[in-house]
Amino acid sequence: MQARWRESPLGAGRQVGEGAPMSTVPPRPLIKSLTLEELSERLAALGQPGYRAKQVMQWIYGKRVKSFAEMSDLPAGLRQQLATEFGFSGLDPIRTLGSLDTTLKYLFKLDDGALIEAVLIPASPALYGEASDRRTLCISTQVGCAYGCKFCASGLDGWSRNLQPGEIVDQILRVEELCGERINNIVFMGMGEPLANFVNLMRAIAIINAPWGVGLGARHITISTSGLAPQIKLLADQPLQVRLAISLHGATDEVRSQIMPVNRKYPVATLLEACAYYIERKKQWLTFEYILIDGVNDRIEDAAELVRVARKVKAKVNCIPYNIVEGLEWQRPSEARQDAFMAVLEAARIPATIRREKGHDIAAACGQLRRQTLVPTNAGHPPVIGVR
Ligand code: SAH
Ligand code: SF4
């Protein structure tokens, strides 16, 4: 099972597990979808010397050029050939939305016109085990989402396609370029279900983690999943020590199935079994994400069930008051209700934090900006709007 994703042809996005949608293969692979090893092989086949691939990666990830033409120490013929064979960037920033609390949300247009989002959270308390998560970027893995959680904007229009590895990686490069700062942490909590795009996700993480690539330590990378049990096990068998967050949002089948259809396929017991496997293999704590939705999962008895479940797999809990999505019926509970819920966790000594959602005023929950944006089909680079 281990490293199964490596067998996949470049950019093909073969799915692991059942029922997950297949990726659409773009006409040309993106250069940022390639690992150093793959590029070396390709360049060797073209008769290029062994150091060329490192040179190309240095231009992309070190010097951050934006075209093959800028790679001035490469032979002109090779630059031309690379430009014919590979796309350079698959993302076009079309809108940036700033928040009063400095959260910044970026909307990108992909080559096929699809829209995705990335959210920069400049300073947040330690949520996933770091001493301080200084500049966290929340990135997308799919266009839309097939899992249809009832509270989420990303799933409202269904799933369109998987992101290519290069489109995932490029969100980091483009945001660093736009904000002028380095990102310290990556959370896969944007649009889409990361584990349903397993092959491309693993490839993107390898590039993000590599010293020749973005160079971000695995412990600064958190994957969030709605609970695809087989893929959680598969992830446990991968060598990288990335962090894992589970979107629990309900600790019983009754509550969870009401808001997360995926629970009918992988009920709480199945999910917990996969979590136990993960922590056993990884020797690593998990985080349960728990959105507090008024009258749905925020009762005292819900907190008691959450205690029971969190204890079973020694999970840390991040509670997040629901971020209201226009057109959906759900509400966030009052602060008094949130505090009462947290008090139950505290009394039971469950390590728990409540994240008063940053970016609430700019619709930072995944998929919201995309839904709110009316984009002309030939959109260029509209000016940044409303930054801070
Ligand atoms: N598909 C993955 C990752 C993307 S969603 C997953 O479900 O984990 C990232 C997180 O945002 C999840 O915990 C999700 O439940 C949460 N989320 C979605 N809509 C939200 C909203 N309106 N308010 C607060 N959190 C939301
Ligand atoms: Fe998809 Fe995650 Fe939103 Fe559920 S919460 S619809 S899995 S993006």
Side-chain angles (χ1 to χ4, degrees):
M1 282 271 248
Q2 194 159 341
R4 205 169 129 196
W5 59 276
R6 286 177 197 281
E7 296 158 21
S8 167
L10 183 66
R14 181 169 59 83
Q15 292 300 317
V16 176
E18 75 310 293
M22 289 298 289
S23 129
T24 309
V25 184
R28 276 185 316 170
L30 293 168
I31 189 77
K32 291 166 197 166
S33 289
L34 268 69
T35 63
L36 180 64
E37 200 182 4
E38 288 157 350
L39 184 60
S40 302
E41 279 166 21
R42 182 70 200 110
L43 292 178
L46 293 174
Q48 291 293 324
Y51 57 82
R52 279 281 186 252
K54 266 203 174 141
Q55 242 177 338
V56 172
M57 293 309 193
Q58 177 59 19
W59 280 112
I60 298 172
Y61 299 103
K63 297 179 189 152
R64 301 287 172 99
V65 294
K66 290 162 91 176
S67 69
F68 292 109
E70 290 168 72
M71 302 182 179
S72 54
D73 56 2
L74 259 56
L78 177 60
R79 279 183 258 165
Q80 185 60 50
Q81 184 146 18
L82 287 171
T84 311
E85 217 167 298
F86 298 106
F88 196 85
S89 170
L91 302 186
D92 196 7
I94 59 164
R95 197 176 160 195
T96 306
L97 203 56
S99 153
L100 293 174
D101 65 3
T102 75
T103 298
L104 278 167
K105 190 154 192 169
Y106 299 90
L107 189 72
F108 293 106
K109 188 160 71 121
L110 306 177
D111 284 346
D112 61 359
L115 299 177
I116 56 160
E117 308 174 358
V119 181
L120 178 65
I121 308 159
S124 57
L127 295 173
Y128 302 98
E130 292 303 308
S132 164
D133 289 347
R134 287 193 300 138
R135 274 183 302 279
T136 298
L137 184 67
C138 170
I139 59 182
S140 295
T141 52
Q142 300 184 307
V143 180
C145 184
Y147 289 85
C149 301
K150 299 279 168 49
F151 48 80
C152 177
S154 291
L156 281 179
D157 299 322
W159 174 90
S160 307
R161 71 170 175 92
N162 284 333
L163 294 191
Q164 297 301 312
E167 291 168 327
I168 297 173
V169 171
D170 219 10
Q171 292 172 59
I172 305 170
L173 302 189
R174 297 313 296 261
V175 169
E176 286 190 343
E177 176 197 331
L178 290 165
C179 77
E181 295 196 83
R182 282 290 156 112
I183 305 298
N184 308 114
N185 295 286
I186 295 296
V187 293
F188 286 97
M189 292 188 182
M191 200 187 302
E193 167 50 54
L195 296 188
N197 187 11
F198 197 90
V199 177
N200 292 352
L201 175 75
M202 289 300 117
R203 184 186 286 275
I205 288 176
I207 297 167
I208 292 167
N209 181 240
W212 52 260
V214 179
L216 201 67
R219 288 171 191 280
H220 296 264
I221 300 170
T222 301
I223 296 172
S224 176
T225 178
S226 58
L228 309 194
Q231 284 89 337
I232 290 171
K233 288 186 173 174
L234 196 55
L235 185 67
D237 292 332
Q238 303 296 322
L240 271 181
Q241 283 292 346
V242 292
R243 296 178 191 276
L244 183 63
I246 309 285
S247 295
L248 193 67
H249 309 330
T252 61
D253 287 330
E254 195 196 347
V255 173
R256 200 165 189 266
S257 291
Q258 195 192 330
I259 48 178
M260 300 181 74
V262 69
N263 193 68
R264 283 183 222 124
K265 186 143 212 171
Y266 306 118
V268 174
T270 309
L271 175 57
L272 291 181
E273 196 247 320
C275 291
Y277 181 80
Y278 185 89
I279 56 177
E280 169 57 26
R281 290 299 303 255
K282 290 285 185 202
K283 311 281 178 234
Q284 197 194 86
W285 304 132
L286 288 175
T287 304
F288 282 156
E289 301 282 319
Y290 197 98
I291 307 178
L292 292 167
I293 309 176
D294 194 37
V296 174
N297 63 357
D298 66 338
R299 300 160 304 175
I300 296 301
E301 54 265 41
D302 294 316
E305 293 289 354
L306 179 56
V307 166
R308 187 181 57 79
V309 165
R311 268 205 189 121
K312 258 192 187 152
V313 288
K314 296 197 182 76
K316 181 177 174 283
V317 176
N318 271 344
C319 289
I320 308 136
Y322 180 61
N323 212 348
I324 293 160
V325 176
E326 215 180 293
L328 295 182
E329 65 201 278
W330 318 96
Q331 297 296 327
R332 65 165 50 189
S334 67
E335 293 219 353
R337 235 175 127 93
Q338 295 171 24
D339 292 343
F341 191 93
M342 294 306 291
V344 176
L345 303 184
E346 206 171 292
R349 297 188 182 285
I350 300 293
T353 49
I354 181 148
R355 176 156 40 120
R356 310 270 185 210
E357 191 71 58
K358 280 186 176 281
H360 188 58
D361 54 329
I362 59 158
C366 61
Q368 283 183 262
L369 180 61
R370 172 179 172 251
R371 290 207 101 237
Q372 284 174 6
T373 306
L374 286 171
V375 189
T377 46
N378 60 347
H381 290 261
V384 167
I385 57 165
V387 176
R388 263 161 263 178

